[in-house]
């Protein structure tokens, strides 16, 4: 029965991770438009984001990374539902990794301004280094509905709490 609890938590974690590209796909284009408008307000040349492949949508790693995590969680959940010993072993490995990865996501969100400044500097485009990064990020963030911030907090709670519960459940098997 404890393995079933772990499996349920893993399914919830998978859904939490899949929510990332869904939200980005739905509202990311509007965030890109808002960011472009902010850059225009700052006197930054049009198209600098596109030229440097900077977007807020669900392309690239914004989709494949969370979908991959979700696929792994669903696979381990199936093993746990089936009562396979592999479920317990893989839960220990991957739930620990998920906690670390989600911690890095949270850290990235909290240090976004400095991270984006550093990324812009690395791109080597002098136009990017002139950007008022806090205003740029705020414009993009405001293009997402207010409930997205609540959803992010819920997602973090599900991922952290669900991972801890899944680890506890397979430990008590």
């Amino acid at each position: 029965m404890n393995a079933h609890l772990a499996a349920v938590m893993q399914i919830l974690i998978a859904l939490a991770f899949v929510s990332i590209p869904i939200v980005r796909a739905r509202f990311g284009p509007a965030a890109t438009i808002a960011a472009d408008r902010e850059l225009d307000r700052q006197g930054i040349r049009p198209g600098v984001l596109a030229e440097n492949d900077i977007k807020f949508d669900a392309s690239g790693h914004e989709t494949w990374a969370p979908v991959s995590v979700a696929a792994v969680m669903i696979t381990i959940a199936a093993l746990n539902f089936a009562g396979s010993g592999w479920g317990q072993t893989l839960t220990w490995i991957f739930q620990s990794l998920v906690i670390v990865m989600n911690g890095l996501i949270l850290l990235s969100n909290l240090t976004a301004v400095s991270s984006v400044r550093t990324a812009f500097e690395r791109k080597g485009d002098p136009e990017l280094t002139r950007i008022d990064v806090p205003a740029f990020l705020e414009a993009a963030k405001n293009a997402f509905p207010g409930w997205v911030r609540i959803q992010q907090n819920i997602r973090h709670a599900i991922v952290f709490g669900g991972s801890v519960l899944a680890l506890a459940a397979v430990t008590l098997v």
Side-chain angles (χ1 to χ4, degrees), residues 77-151:
L79 291 169
N80 280 323
F81 273 130
S84 169
W86 280 105
Q88 181 180 16
T89 302
L90 294 175
T91 295
W92 269 103
I93 294 166
F94 286 100
Q95 289 308 149
S96 300
L97 289 173
V98 164
I99 290 171
V100 170
M101 285 187 303
N102 204 63
L104 292 173
I105 291 169
L106 189 56
L107 179 64
S108 171
N109 291 344
L110 295 173
T111 61
V113 171
S114 63
S115 299
V116 169
R117 276 192 186 122
T118 301
F120 283 178
E121 289 168 5
R122 269 190 260 142
K123 290 271 187 186
D125 186 334
E127 195 79 359
L128 292 175
T129 60
R130 293 186 328 109
I131 293 174
D132 175 355
V133 174
F136 164 74
L137 292 176
E138 190 68 22
K141 181 176 104 178
N142 288 337
F144 289 89
W147 61 261
V148 170
R149 286 177 245 339
I150 296 166
Q151 180 259 353

Side-chain angles (χ1 to χ4, degrees), residues 33-46:
I33 290 167
D36 276 330
R37 285 187 184 138
E38 173 58 26
L39 294 184
D40 183 51
R41 188 194 68 73
Q42 291 181 27
I44 305 296
R45 78 173 182 274

Side-chain angles (χ1 to χ4, degrees), residues 17-80:
F17 270 94
V18 169
S19 74
I20 297 168
I22 290 171
V23 168
R24 302 273 291 191
R26 172 66 180 90
F27 301 106
T32 300
I33 290 167
D36 276 330
R37 285 187 184 138
E38 173 58 26
L39 294 184
D40 183 51
R41 188 194 68 73
Q42 291 181 27
I44 305 296
R45 78 173 182 274
V48 73
L49 293 181
E51 291 167 15
N52 287 282
D53 199 29
I54 299 167
K55 31 192 159 178
F56 296 91
D57 63 11
S59 61
H61 80 280
E62 293 293 346
T63 293
W64 67 256
V67 168
S68 297
V69 171
V72 169
M73 289 293 99
I74 293 295
T75 301
I76 299 170
L79 291 169
N80 280 323

